Amino acid sequence: MADREQATGVLGLVQDFVNTVDLQDGPEELSDPAALSRWLAGRGLINTTEALTVADLNHAVALREAMRGVIGANTGGAVFPIDVATLNSAASASRLRARFAADGRARLEPEAQGVERAMGQLVAALFAAMGDPNWTRLRLCASPTCRWVFFDRSRNHSSRWCAMASCGNREKAKRFRGRAKPR
Ligand SMILES: [Zn+2]
């Protein structure tokens, strides 16, 4: 959707990954293992020759939803133990470790190869995003059927909807209909 706000850098990568599905209207970009492979290869996270399995796809979707879960904490949502466990298991499987780059700056890098490495790079992006001053601007749309990740550019981090034109107005209409019911 054109009017939904997009972040850049690690925040943008995390946002893009979680938004590979539009829960409200579709589509699901990660529809099969080949689609996952294309998405990861498109961001340089995996070699295009890597053949992925349905189990890999299920892991990736679980990781995506766990990431959505922790972003929800920025909008006052509860953090669920299952999401924390999923993130920790992806971090362990990819064997993340601290690496100092040529510019002297440290970051997390996975030691694993293949799809574990790709998942580890997404976890590392989430880790870096959480340390970014703009982390709390990454928010979930307040519409329970949408939960799109948007980048809140408002001055006091107070936007509630991914796009007022769609979700904001839909939720307002719902509340209005609720009030208008005869008693
Ligand atoms: Zn929305």
Side-chain angles (χ1 to χ4, degrees), residues 4 24 141-143 146-148 161-163 166-167 170:
R4 285 167 157 176
Q24 179 85 36
C141 178
S143 162
C146 176
R147 306 183 75 233
W148 185 262
W161 320 107
C162 65
S166 51
C167 289
R170 182 168 48 234

Side-chain angles (χ1 to χ4, degrees), residues 15-22 27-30 39 64 148:
Q15 181 184 24
D16 277 355
F17 181 57
V18 179
N19 285 343
T20 48
V21 65
D22 187 330
E28 166 64 274
E29 275 186 62
L30 308 183
W39 194 92
R64 178 182 75 190
W148 185 262

Side-chain angles (χ1 to χ4, degrees), residues 74-99:
N74 287 342
T75 354
V79 173
F80 293 98
I82 178 83
D83 292 339
V84 173
T86 300
L87 289 165
N88 277 328
S89 106
S92 303
S94 67
R95 304 197 305 278
L96 285 179
R97 51 157 188 198
R99 287 288 290 178

Side-chain angles (χ1 to χ4, degrees), residues 2 29 60-61 97 108 120 138 158 162 168 183:
E29 275 186 62
V61 169
R97 51 157 188 198
L108 289 182
L138 216 52
S158 57
C162 65
R183 298 174 192 213

